[in-house]
Amino acid sequence: MDTKTTFVGLEIKSPIIVGSCGLTSEVSKLRELEKAGAGAIVLKSIFEEQILNEASHNMRNKEFFAFPESYDYISNYSQSNAVDKYIKLIREAKQTLTIPVVASVNCISNSEWLNFAVNMQQAGADAIELNMFILPSDVNMTAEDVERFYEDTIQTIRRAVTIPISIKISTYFTALARFVQKISLMGVSNLNIFNHFCLADIDIDAMTTRPAHIMTNEDEIYDTIRWTAILSNVAKCTLTAGGGVHKEADVVKLLLAGANNVQIVSALYTKGFDFITKCNDFLMQWGDQHNFNKISDFKGKLAIASNQPSAFLRVQFMKYFAEIK
Ligand SMILES: Cc1cc2nc3c(=O)[nH]c(=O)nc-3n(C[C@H](O)[C@H](O)[C@H](O)COP(=O)(O)O)c2cc1C
């Protein structure tokens, strides 16, 4: 079976996208990921926070600067240093790889990162992914305020760059399907569901907070399957599905649910890069067994609009609880 598919408006040879993470921040690793069979790679995000922190670290001794200009200079240097490294990564990745390379920006405001996006386009990035997130914890912010942040940011970047834009979102929206449809009509080429955030745990002896596990687990795939099945016919652009892909069969499941391509991160840390090769082999064998010639022969077969919706729309356990004695 032919495993070609699409991602950010580009044809890719495999539906396996390596998601943004520490593994995608060095050219040597990118080369290995391509060799293992990845269809495209999203580089490690450049974090607006990281850039601002770098600037503030250098600025802690502000009083030692005799002239305000030196203060401004250091602040600018810190920014461009982080940006320069990132731009170099994009350039080298583009010189080395044949598969699409997507730059990623983690933005928490609708300002600073915009200049970086233009630089990334100039450096040759095939697309830009915006990894946006504001935790809806502010009681003064309505659901509309939260959504407006995303919409304003998308509009701003759309005007700034001409390369395709991918938007990576979380599940934390009041009306996810409606919101996804809305932003998919704002000139974006791809939606990436879902991001995975730092989780916080509590140490009950020290009575402090501590970071929880960093990688996703196998059970997280079910939420991704459900939302892929719901959103694949709602989004008016291509859909990358990810979060909880730990088995080869998960790739097939997400394509059946309607994803155009599948993002993998945690499993590459826990199983190694040849998990990509295994997923591609499994997909081809499964496709051959079922007499499919290409991904579009079965993509979305189990998406909500074309199959019985009840399994994915049902969220309560009445039937199951009633049967469990
Ligand atoms: C170690 C690690 C680092 C990550 N760094 C980023 C990042 O810089 N930007 C981003 O958008 N997502 C980042 N992610 C989230 C992943 O791209 C992905 O969305 C998430 O891990 C879910 O996919 P998975 O279940 O295959 O891990 C990171 C995930 C991990 C585990």
Side-chain angles (χ1 to χ4, degrees):
M1 189 189 70
D2 184 349
T3 58
K4 277 205 286 294
T5 184
T6 47
F7 174 54
V8 292
L10 305 169
E11 187 178 90
I12 50 173
K13 63 180 182 182
S14 156
I16 310 297
I17 311 291
V18 180
S20 178
C21 65
L23 301 172
T24 61
S25 58
E26 283 170 35
V27 176
S28 57
K29 291 218 170 75
L30 301 181
R31 212 180 283 129
E32 285 176 44
L33 291 162
E34 176 174 46
K35 209 168 146 213
I41 287 175
V42 183
L43 299 178
K44 169 86 186 143
S45 300
I46 182 161
F47 281 68
E48 192 176 320
E49 250 172 333
Q50 170 201 344
I51 294 158
L52 297 178
N53 276 347
E54 210 175 307
S56 65
H57 176 77
N58 286 331
M59 285 158 64
R60 241 169 250 149
N61 291 332
K62 187 178 171 183
E63 61 275 20
F64 291 116
F65 292 112
F67 305 104
E69 293 89 322
S70 355
Y71 174 75
D72 290 340
Y73 173 77
I74 293 293
S75 158
N76 289 336
Y77 169 74
S78 300
Q79 283 197 11
S80 62
N81 192 27
V83 172
D84 285 352
K85 278 191 194 152
Y86 202 72
I87 295 299
K88 189 164 169 265
L89 175 66
I90 297 171
R91 286 218 176 92
E92 287 179 2
K94 282 301 296 171
Q95 278 160 11
T96 313
L97 308 187
T98 59
I99 56 174
V101 174
V102 177
S104 166
V105 191
N106 170 271
C107 47
I108 49 174
S109 78
N110 185 14
S111 57
E112 284 286 332
W113 54 269
L114 191 59
N115 301 324
F116 314 147
V118 178
N119 294 352
M120 286 169 194
Q121 169 166 317
Q122 285 164 353
D126 291 292
I128 291 185
E129 183 162 275
L130 295 191
N131 154 18
M132 285 188 270
F133 184 56
I134 36 173
L135 193 72
S137 57
D138 182 346
V139 290
N140 296 313
M141 268 186 116
T142 65
E144 285 80 16
D145 293 336
V146 174
E147 290 183 9
R148 200 169 311 112
F149 161 71
Y150 286 80
E151 289 159 23
D152 290 350
T153 309
I154 292 169
Q155 264 169 0
T156 318
I157 188 148
R158 189 57 294 169
R159 282 196 291 266
V161 296
T162 51
I163 53 176
I165 296 166
S166 172
I167 304 295
K168 187 173 189 180
I169 57 166
S170 72
T171 48
Y172 293 0
F173 290 94
T174 307
L176 185 58
R178 186 182 153 82
F179 175 68
V180 157
Q181 181 157 75
K182 194 169 179 194
I183 59 169
S184 74
L185 289 164
M186 294 182 69
V188 306
S189 302
N190 188 67
L191 276 171
N192 181 341
I193 58 167
F194 289 110
N195 211 339
H196 172 74
F197 302 112
C198 313
L199 302 172
D201 192 9
I202 288 179
D203 180 328
I204 59 168
D205 294 319
M207 285 190 272
T208 54
T209 56
R210 63 180 179 200
H213 55 88
I214 293 169
M215 305 298 157
T216 61
N217 63 52
E218 291 185 356
D219 283 348
E220 291 179 42
I221 191 68
Y222 301 115
D223 219 22
T224 306
I225 292 174
R226 160 174 282 146
W227 281 108
T228 303
I230 294 171
L231 299 178
S232 56
N233 280 316
V234 164
K236 304 298 174 200
C237 60
T238 56
L239 193 70
T240 297
V245 174
H246 289 268
K247 296 179 193 148
E248 291 85 343
D250 294 341
V251 173
V252 176
K253 291 179 188 181
L254 292 175
L255 294 173
L256 279 167
N260 294 83
N261 50 72
V262 173
Q263 177 196 266
I264 306 181
V265 168
S266 295
L268 301 178
Y269 282 93
T270 57
K271 299 182 178 211
F273 294 180
D274 71 342
F275 182 60
I276 300 175
T277 319
K278 288 181 181 156
C279 286
N280 279 325
D281 290 348
F282 183 91
L283 174 62
M284 275 187 280
Q285 277 163 21
W286 179 88
D288 290 342
Q289 264 169 24
H290 292 82
N291 298 318
F292 293 129
N293 295 320
K294 51 190 186 309
I295 288 178
S296 58
D297 290 346
F298 66 91
K299 177 188 132 9
K301 223 174 154 43
L302 296 176
I304 288 287
S306 54
N307 205 269
Q308 309 114 355
S310 57
F312 291 122
L313 294 180
R314 183 167 187 89
V315 286
Q316 300 298 340
F317 286 101
M318 195 178 77
K319 173 173 176 283
Y320 303 103
F321 282 161
E323 283 167 5
I324 295 170
K325 303 281 184 241

